[in-house]
Structures are given as C-alpha cells and as structure tokens.
C-alpha cells in the first residue's frame, strides 16, 4: 500500500521505528504516572506533550509557531494548572483482589460491553465505508479502546506494587489477563491511529484524538474508580474548566498552525477601529506638518527677495 491510503507502508521507514521507540519510553513514564495518580488527572496532562512537540519543532525543524499557536500553548499550561489544583481523588485500590471487585461492577461491565460493540461496528461496518473520508471513524476506535487500555495500566500498576512488596503476584491470573488485554488494546490503538494520520492531516487528527481519548478515559475512570463521587462542586467545575481550556489551546495550536496572522483576519469592528486609528494618526501628522509649513515659505520668500535685490544691484 502507498502512503495516504491507510496502509502499512510506514513499517518500512526506520524513522517511524525510532519514533515508536521514543514513544515507548514516554509511555513507560506515563505508565508510572497512572500507577500513582488518578487517570482523570494524568490523561489531560498529556496535552503538555503536544505543547513540547510544538516548541521543539519550531526550534529544531524551523516550523513557524504563529500567534494562534503561542496562545494555544499558554492556554494549555493554564488549563493544566487548573486541573492539577482541582484534581479528583480516586477510591483506594491497593490489591488485585480489590481490583477484581472494581472490574465486576455492573456499571463498568456495561461500559466495557458498549465500548467493544461500538468498536467492532466502527471497524467492520463504518471503517470500510467512511474510514477514508471521515476522521472520526478511526479516531473513535483509538479513543474507545484507549479507555480500556488505561484501566489495564492501572491494574498492572497495582500488580507491580504488590510484586515489589514481595507478594506472589505472578501466580494471580488477573495480572496476566490485564497484560494480554493491554497488548491487544495498544496494538489496535497504534494501528488505527496510524491509519488516521496516514489519511488525514495531523492538524486535524491530533486535537480530535486528544478530545475524544481524554473524554473516554475520564468516563471510564469515573465509572471504574468513582473519581467524581466525593468531589465538591468547585472542584468539579474547576476540573471541567481546566479540561475545556486545554481543549481550546490544543485546537488553536493545531487547527490554525498553517494560517498566517494578518490584520484581515480580525473581526470587522476591530478592522474599522484600526482604520479609524490610522486615520487619526494621519490627520495628526498632517496637522503637525501644517504647523511647520509657514516657516518654510517665509524662508523661501526671504531668500527669493534677497536674490532679487542682488540682481537689481
């Protein structure tokens, strides 16, 4: 398959494998973060990676970071700060036994079944028909499956804590089941995310994927770990406001990345105010020049009269 057709030609590029290795290192650090912090906090903070990539690309790849991109970076930092301040607290899950009880919750079972059924419909029904023309098809698959992968990561983090504390975790079947599910989910995510990036522009895929993936993870974490159950109103409002601020920053950073900022992009009332301001500046300059004009003609007249007297003599 050729590039731009949603195939697997990128597997022949060494640069793609190098990027995948770097992503693996980053995801390992992300794995550790999920083990010690609520997923509702960790996942939205992934927007900082988008911000860092934008700054590094403008520094090392000579890509232009316009006014929209700079405003987007500032909004992403502000939104992340607000989310950290109002971060939710998840229910304590300290063992695999308690994790099993969480996974048996009817709400999570219904959520997982809905995710799997919708993903299968998107892959086998909507994908062949609309995958080449609609960016939401493949991105929705990545986002839905990604929410389950985060749950697997949380369970494996608990298993690793117990392993380091000396408990016989390797004999527990849940840890191996979570590991297999995580590998399957990550493989599906990488496959369909690369399909979306191969077909559509990165500036379109990145903000859409971030919003849908973060929303799905927050829903899954709220159902599985009851992160929103004991939050007061101001923390709920702060968390949602911070998330929407990050979404606005990501949208500005990517959607208008290739658009130069010119005065023609301003609203009409700002353009009129700008024109009136320039007109007032021109009138002020003309008024100042008019004040100095009488001196010049008088000097010219004096010089002309002196020349006439010299000629008459």
């Amino acid at each position: 398959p050729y590039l731009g057709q949603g195939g697997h030609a990128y597997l022949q590029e060494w640069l793609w494998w190098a990027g995948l290795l770097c992503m693996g290192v980053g995801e390992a650090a992300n794995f550790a973060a999920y083990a010690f912090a609520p997923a509702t906090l960790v996942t939205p903070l992934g927007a900082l990676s988008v911000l860092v990539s934008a700054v590094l690309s403008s520094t090392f790849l000579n890509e232009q970071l316009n006014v929209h991109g700079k405003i987007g970076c500032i909004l992403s930092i502000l939104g992340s700060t607000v989310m950290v301040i109002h971060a939710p607290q998840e229910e304590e899950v300290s063992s695999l036994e308690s994790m099993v009880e969480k996974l048996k919750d009817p709400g999570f079972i219904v959520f997982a079944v809905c995710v799997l059924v919708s993903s299968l419909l998107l892959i086998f029904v909507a994908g062949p028909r609309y995958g080449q023309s609609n960016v939401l098809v493949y991105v929705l698959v990545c986002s839905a499956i990604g929410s389950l992968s985060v749950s697997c990561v949380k369970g494996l983090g608990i298993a690793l804590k117990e392993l380091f504390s000396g408990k016989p975790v390797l004999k527990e079947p849940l840890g191996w089941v979570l590991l297999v599910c995580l590998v399957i989910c990550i493989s599906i995510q990488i496959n369909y995310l690369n399909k979306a990036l191969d077909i559509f522009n990165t500036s379109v895929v990145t903000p859409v994927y971030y919003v849908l993936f973060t929303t799905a993870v927050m829903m899954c974490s709220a159902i599985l770990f009851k992160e929103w159950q004991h939050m007061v109103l101001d923390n709920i409002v702060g968390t949602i406001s911070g998330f929407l601020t990050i979404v606005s920053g990501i949208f500005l950073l990517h959607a208008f990345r290739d658009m130069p900022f010119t005065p023609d992009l301003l609203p009409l009332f700002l353009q009129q105010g700008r024109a009136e301001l320039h007109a007032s500046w021109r009138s002020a300059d003309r008024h100042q020049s008019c004040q100095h004009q009488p001196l010049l003609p008088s000097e010219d007249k004096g010089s002309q009269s002196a020349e006439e007297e010299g000629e008459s003599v």
Side-chain angles (χ1 to χ4, degrees), residues 106-121:
F108 177 75
I109 293 176
V110 172
F111 176 81
V113 170
C114 292
V115 167
L116 293 176
V117 172
S118 60
S119 299
L120 291 175
L121 291 175

Side-chain angles (χ1 to χ4, degrees), residues 43-107:
T43 305
L45 291 181
L48 295 178
S49 63
V50 181
L51 186 150
V52 171
S53 65
V55 174
L56 292 179
S57 62
S58 64
T59 303
F60 296 102
L61 301 179
N62 296 323
E63 294 184 1
Q64 296 297 325
L65 190 63
N66 56 12
V67 176
H68 303 90
K70 295 176 182 178
I71 295 175
C73 292
I74 295 174
L75 289 176
S76 299
I77 295 174
L78 292 177
S80 302
T81 304
V82 172
M83 288 206 69
V84 170
I85 294 173
H86 299 279
Q89 297 294 327
E90 63 184 2
E91 290 186 353
E92 185 66 24
V93 182
S94 57
S95 63
L96 287 179
E97 289 79 8
S98 58
M99 187 66 185
V100 171
E101 297 299 325
K102 293 288 183 183
L103 294 175
K104 291 181 180 178
D105 185 75

Side-chain angles (χ1 to χ4, degrees), residues 233-252:
L233 182 61
D234 58 345
N235 286 334
I236 294 176
V237 173
T239 302
I240 295 175
S241 300
F243 173 61
L244 294 178
T245 304
I246 296 174
V247 169
S248 302
I250 296 297
F251 180 77
L252 285 174

